[in-house]
Amino acid sequence: GRLVKLPCKVGTEVYNITWWDDVKEKVVVKGKTYYRTAHKHKVTKSTFGYFDIDEFGKTIFLTKKEAEAKLKELRGRDDER
């Protein structure tokens, strides 16, 4: 019984931050080469749906620029750990 105002129409093209799993990274330590699997994020296009409401402004954005700015912010937090 509660009315929710959507940030855009359902079906609108939006940008979301998603996992890009299993990225192989080459790491060289003291002349030895190692490979590790890293979990990275990337920005992808998708279509806005009702299930996206809770993630709007967190991982779902109207513009690619907003999504990339948030991803950059999240990466900065990861570097601090």
Side-chain angles (χ1 to χ4, degrees), residues 17-21 38-42 44 78:
I17 299 172
T18 60
W19 281 104
W20 183 19
D21 288 328
H39 298 292
K40 301 266 183 170
H41 288 90
K42 68 178 180 177
T44 59
D78 287 343

PDB file of all heavy atoms in Angstrom, residues 17-21 38-42 44 78:
ATOM      1  N   ILE A  17      27.082  -1.089 -12.089  1.00  0.00           N
ATOM      2  CA  ILE A  17      28.395  -1.595 -11.719  1.00  0.00           C
ATOM      3  C   ILE A  17      28.208  -3.075 -11.409  1.00  0.00           C
ATOM      4  O   ILE A  17      27.449  -3.444 -10.521  1.00  0.00           O
ATOM      5  CB  ILE A  17      28.945  -0.844 -10.494  1.00  0.00           C
ATOM      6  CG1 ILE A  17      29.099   0.640 -10.833  1.00  0.00           C
ATOM      7  CG2 ILE A  17      30.260  -1.450 -10.039  1.00  0.00           C
ATOM      8  CD1 ILE A  17      29.458   1.508  -9.641  1.00  0.00           C
ATOM      9  N   THR A  18      28.880  -3.911 -12.188  1.00  0.00           N
ATOM     10  CA  THR A  18      28.742  -5.353 -12.030  1.00  0.00           C
ATOM     11  C   THR A  18      30.102  -5.997 -11.823  1.00  0.00           C
ATOM     12  O   THR A  18      31.136  -5.405 -12.116  1.00  0.00           O
ATOM     13  CB  THR A  18      28.093  -5.984 -13.275  1.00  0.00           C
ATOM     14  OG1 THR A  18      28.903  -5.713 -14.418  1.00  0.00           O
ATOM     15  CG2 THR A  18      26.700  -5.450 -13.505  1.00  0.00           C
ATOM     16  N   TRP A  19      30.083  -7.221 -11.321  1.00  0.00           N
ATOM     17  CA  TRP A  19      31.315  -7.998 -11.174  1.00  0.00           C
ATOM     18  C   TRP A  19      31.782  -8.480 -12.528  1.00  0.00           C
ATOM     19  O   TRP A  19      31.001  -8.860 -13.378  1.00  0.00           O
ATOM     20  CB  TRP A  19      31.072  -9.236 -10.302  1.00  0.00           C
ATOM     21  CG  TRP A  19      31.053  -8.958  -8.863  1.00  0.00           C
ATOM     22  CD1 TRP A  19      29.937  -8.886  -8.066  1.00  0.00           C
ATOM     23  CD2 TRP A  19      32.163  -8.700  -8.016  1.00  0.00           C
ATOM     24  NE1 TRP A  19      30.307  -8.608  -6.777  1.00  0.00           N
ATOM     25  CE2 TRP A  19      31.665  -8.492  -6.724  1.00  0.00           C
ATOM     26  CE3 TRP A  19      33.536  -8.626  -8.224  1.00  0.00           C
ATOM     27  CZ2 TRP A  19      32.495  -8.220  -5.642  1.00  0.00           C
ATOM     28  CZ3 TRP A  19      34.349  -8.355  -7.150  1.00  0.00           C
ATOM     29  CH2 TRP A  19      33.833  -8.164  -5.882  1.00  0.00           C
ATOM     30  N   TRP A  20      33.058  -8.469 -12.722  1.00  0.00           N
ATOM     31  CA  TRP A  20      33.687  -9.043 -13.905  1.00  0.00           C
ATOM     32  C   TRP A  20      34.660 -10.065 -13.341  1.00  0.00           C
ATOM     33  O   TRP A  20      35.777  -9.757 -12.973  1.00  0.00           O
ATOM     34  CB  TRP A  20      34.395  -7.968 -14.689  1.00  0.00           C
ATOM     35  CG  TRP A  20      35.029  -8.402 -15.956  1.00  0.00           C
ATOM     36  CD1 TRP A  20      34.765  -9.523 -16.680  1.00  0.00           C
ATOM     37  CD2 TRP A  20      36.029  -7.698 -16.687  1.00  0.00           C
ATOM     38  NE1 TRP A  20      35.526  -9.567 -17.799  1.00  0.00           N
ATOM     39  CE2 TRP A  20      36.321  -8.444 -17.824  1.00  0.00           C
ATOM     40  CE3 TRP A  20      36.702  -6.520 -16.477  1.00  0.00           C
ATOM     41  CZ2 TRP A  20      37.261  -8.039 -18.761  1.00  0.00           C
ATOM     42  CZ3 TRP A  20      37.626  -6.128 -17.407  1.00  0.00           C
ATOM     43  CH2 TRP A  20      37.897  -6.870 -18.536  1.00  0.00           C
ATOM     44  N   ASP A  21      34.195 -11.274 -13.182  1.00  0.00           N
ATOM     45  CA  ASP A  21      34.936 -12.307 -12.477  1.00  0.00           C
ATOM     46  C   ASP A  21      36.056 -12.918 -13.307  1.00  0.00           C
ATOM     47  O   ASP A  21      36.087 -12.809 -14.527  1.00  0.00           O
ATOM     48  CB  ASP A  21      34.001 -13.433 -12.044  1.00  0.00           C
ATOM     49  CG  ASP A  21      33.090 -13.006 -10.912  1.00  0.00           C
ATOM     50  OD1 ASP A  21      33.500 -12.175 -10.088  1.00  0.00           O
ATOM     51  OD2 ASP A  21      31.973 -13.521 -10.864  1.00  0.00           O
ATOM     52  N   ALA A  38      41.607 -12.336 -10.167  1.00  0.00           N
ATOM     53  CA  ALA A  38      41.097 -11.187  -9.424  1.00  0.00           C
ATOM     54  C   ALA A  38      39.629 -10.957  -9.788  1.00  0.00           C
ATOM     55  O   ALA A  38      39.189 -11.284 -10.882  1.00  0.00           O
ATOM     56  CB  ALA A  38      41.904  -9.951  -9.773  1.00  0.00           C
ATOM     57  N   HIS A  39      38.911 -10.408  -8.853  1.00  0.00           N
ATOM     58  CA  HIS A  39      37.516 -10.036  -9.086  1.00  0.00           C
ATOM     59  C   HIS A  39      37.476  -8.531  -9.311  1.00  0.00           C
ATOM     60  O   HIS A  39      37.833  -7.771  -8.424  1.00  0.00           O
ATOM     61  CB  HIS A  39      36.648 -10.422  -7.901  1.00  0.00           C
ATOM     62  CG  HIS A  39      36.634 -11.885  -7.646  1.00  0.00           C
ATOM     63  ND1 HIS A  39      36.049 -12.790  -8.492  1.00  0.00           N
ATOM     64  CD2 HIS A  39      37.162 -12.614  -6.642  1.00  0.00           C
ATOM     65  CE1 HIS A  39      36.202 -14.000  -8.013  1.00  0.00           C
ATOM     66  NE2 HIS A  39      36.887 -13.930  -6.890  1.00  0.00           N
ATOM     67  N   LYS A  40      37.093  -8.138 -10.482  1.00  0.00           N
ATOM     68  CA  LYS A  40      37.049  -6.727 -10.847  1.00  0.00           C
ATOM     69  C   LYS A  40      35.602  -6.309 -11.092  1.00  0.00           C
ATOM     70  O   LYS A  40      34.740  -7.130 -11.342  1.00  0.00           O
ATOM     71  CB  LYS A  40      37.862  -6.491 -12.130  1.00  0.00           C
ATOM     72  CG  LYS A  40      39.311  -6.876 -12.046  1.00  0.00           C
ATOM     73  CD  LYS A  40      40.139  -5.698 -11.679  1.00  0.00           C
ATOM     74  CE  LYS A  40      41.605  -6.091 -11.666  1.00  0.00           C
ATOM     75  NZ  LYS A  40      42.469  -4.983 -11.559  1.00  0.00           N
ATOM     76  N   HIS A  41      35.379  -5.025 -11.050  1.00  0.00           N
ATOM     77  CA  HIS A  41      34.074  -4.455 -11.382  1.00  0.00           C
ATOM     78  C   HIS A  41      34.185  -3.745 -12.727  1.00  0.00           C
ATOM     79  O   HIS A  41      35.257  -3.287 -13.107  1.00  0.00           O
ATOM     80  CB  HIS A  41      33.653  -3.422 -10.336  1.00  0.00           C
ATOM     81  CG  HIS A  41      33.262  -4.008  -9.038  1.00  0.00           C
ATOM     82  ND1 HIS A  41      34.151  -4.223  -8.018  1.00  0.00           N
ATOM     83  CD2 HIS A  41      32.067  -4.428  -8.578  1.00  0.00           C
ATOM     84  CE1 HIS A  41      33.524  -4.731  -6.989  1.00  0.00           C
ATOM     85  NE2 HIS A  41      32.260  -4.873  -7.298  1.00  0.00           N
ATOM     86  N   LYS A  42      33.071  -3.627 -13.402  1.00  0.00           N
ATOM     87  CA  LYS A  42      33.017  -2.826 -14.620  1.00  0.00           C
ATOM     88  C   LYS A  42      31.634  -2.203 -14.737  1.00  0.00           C
ATOM     89  O   LYS A  42      30.695  -2.622 -14.057  1.00  0.00           O
ATOM     90  CB  LYS A  42      33.344  -3.665 -15.847  1.00  0.00           C
ATOM     91  CG  LYS A  42      32.314  -4.723 -16.198  1.00  0.00           C
ATOM     92  CD  LYS A  42      32.710  -5.449 -17.458  1.00  0.00           C
ATOM     93  CE  LYS A  42      31.683  -6.508 -17.812  1.00  0.00           C
ATOM     94  NZ  LYS A  42      31.998  -7.170 -19.057  1.00  0.00           N
ATOM     95  N   THR A  44      28.394  -1.562 -17.017  1.00  0.00           N
ATOM     96  CA  THR A  44      27.691  -2.116 -18.166  1.00  0.00           C
ATOM     97  C   THR A  44      26.336  -1.435 -18.321  1.00  0.00           C
ATOM     98  O   THR A  44      25.803  -0.856 -17.377  1.00  0.00           O
ATOM     99  CB  THR A  44      27.460  -3.636 -18.004  1.00  0.00           C
ATOM    100  OG1 THR A  44      26.700  -3.862 -16.813  1.00  0.00           O
ATOM    101  CG2 THR A  44      28.769  -4.395 -17.933  1.00  0.00           C
ATOM    102  N   ASP A  78      38.865   0.392  -1.873  1.00  0.00           N
ATOM    103  CA  ASP A  78      39.543  -0.910  -1.884  1.00  0.00           C
ATOM    104  C   ASP A  78      41.037  -0.731  -1.674  1.00  0.00           C
ATOM    105  O   ASP A  78      41.687  -1.541  -1.024  1.00  0.00           O
ATOM    106  CB  ASP A  78      39.298  -1.648  -3.196  1.00  0.00           C
ATOM    107  CG  ASP A  78      37.871  -2.191  -3.292  1.00  0.00           C
ATOM    108  OD1 ASP A  78      37.198  -2.275  -2.238  1.00  0.00           O
ATOM    109  OD2 ASP A  78      37.444  -2.542  -4.396  1.00  0.00           O
TER     110      ASP A  78
END
